[in-house]
Amino acid sequence: MTTTDSLRSGPLADDGADGRGYGRGYGSGYGGGDRSGRLPVREHLPAGPAAPASGAPVLDVVVPVYNEEKDLRPCVLRLHDHLSRTFPYAFRITVADNASTDSTPAVAAALAAELAGVRSVRLEEKGRGRALRTVWSGSDAPVLAYMDVDLSTDLNALLPLVAPLISGHSDLAIGSRLARSARVVRGSRREFISRAYNLILRSSLAAGFSDAQCGFKAIRSEVAGRLLPMVEDSGWFFDTELLVLAERAGLRIHEVPVDWIDDPDSTVHIVRTAAEDLKGVWRVGRALAVGALPLDRLARPFGDDPRDRALTGVERGLARQLVGFCVVGALSTLFYLALYSLFRLGVGPQFANGGALLVSAVANTAANRRLTFGVRGRSGAVRHQAQGLVVFAIGLALTSGSLAALGAASGSPSHSTELAVLITANLAATVLRFLLLRAWVFPARACSEPEDLR
């Protein structure tokens, strides 16, 4: 494509039934999902250099730029040559100009006129995230990627980056400068900032990916169609927000160790960017904590193998729920024993047991609700706590009955004996608690079709 496009960089149109644009599908024949609102099953794109039936390229690589009149031409020439020689599918390179004030738009237009498979897009507002959102949302390619204009990342990583998306193995792919086998040349200041930022993401948002800000990423178009309307940031935090939401929704993120050389002439303002990123971390963390994001719209059907989708009667997430329940139960037991020992200093064993069990039961229900059974938001929280109190009453009967039986048998048992009996009774109550929580308090929704199984 050799024409120059001019796009307005306003917000995405609200296409979704909920009025917020969620669920919007982009691309020609690659977006959408099944009737349950889930994403479609990932499929391997047709092999060979030919474009899909729609005439669209398989890969659309976006190069966002702002006042890059010096570096733009050698970047695009090098990228175009690399793709022409090594990439086995049809491709497009899109130069996304973020309201440049120098001759960058003219350079981009000249490249689009000169090279087949190159186009330029002009945006009247700045922001890397805005540029990616605008171009990706309007692209007809099934695989979307972007890279920084300085080409700090070695281009030999481009095919490994997009291959898992083409094959249907993964939903997103990122280049990582912090992976063990990556080779990176940069100053100690940038190295420290990068690793510190990664540590913040891991500790505050439980991020599992290793490098949020490397300018070398790709995404499948049907995933972008669902994910982009949920991403609020239009600047440098766009990458991080995109990855955090994708990971929380259970999408598969593929990481590629890269060879990366720092650009000493980079125009990125590190301090200002870091401040904006921290604000973004706070905003996204708060939204996730209150369940404000409809991440269920990013869910995939159970498995990518037709044999998996044909299975019936499969228990959903039982192993994961057992692990989560055991972790929460172990912490709750320690919390309960600490409270019991504290309350026992002032009251008798029955009152100490009742108070400790009540407080720990409320905390246990809240933790299991969020961590074990994945219930987000405030809807039904009061009812869940009320049902949890019924479960608590059953546990109270078991433990109190054990203490009463111990008192009747030995008269005045030692504190260590009381604790041993309580631990045994709590183990029995724990098994019953899990069964009640899973079957009654947080029951799995009935599956109308086999592919709803997860």
Side-chain angles (χ1 to χ4, degrees), residues 32-58:
D34 62 21
R35 292 182 179 180
S36 67
R38 300 181 188 275
L39 284 166
V41 174
R42 292 184 296 260
E43 295 181 355
H44 198 305
L45 298 176
S54 63
V58 171

Side-chain angles (χ1 to χ4, degrees), residues 82-106:
H82 178 84
L83 288 171
S84 299
R85 289 185 297 102
T86 66
F87 195 67
Y89 291 85
F91 66 87
R92 176 196 296 140
I93 300 173
T94 301
V95 179
D97 173 39
N98 292 109
S100 294
T101 57
D102 60 3
S103 62
T104 297

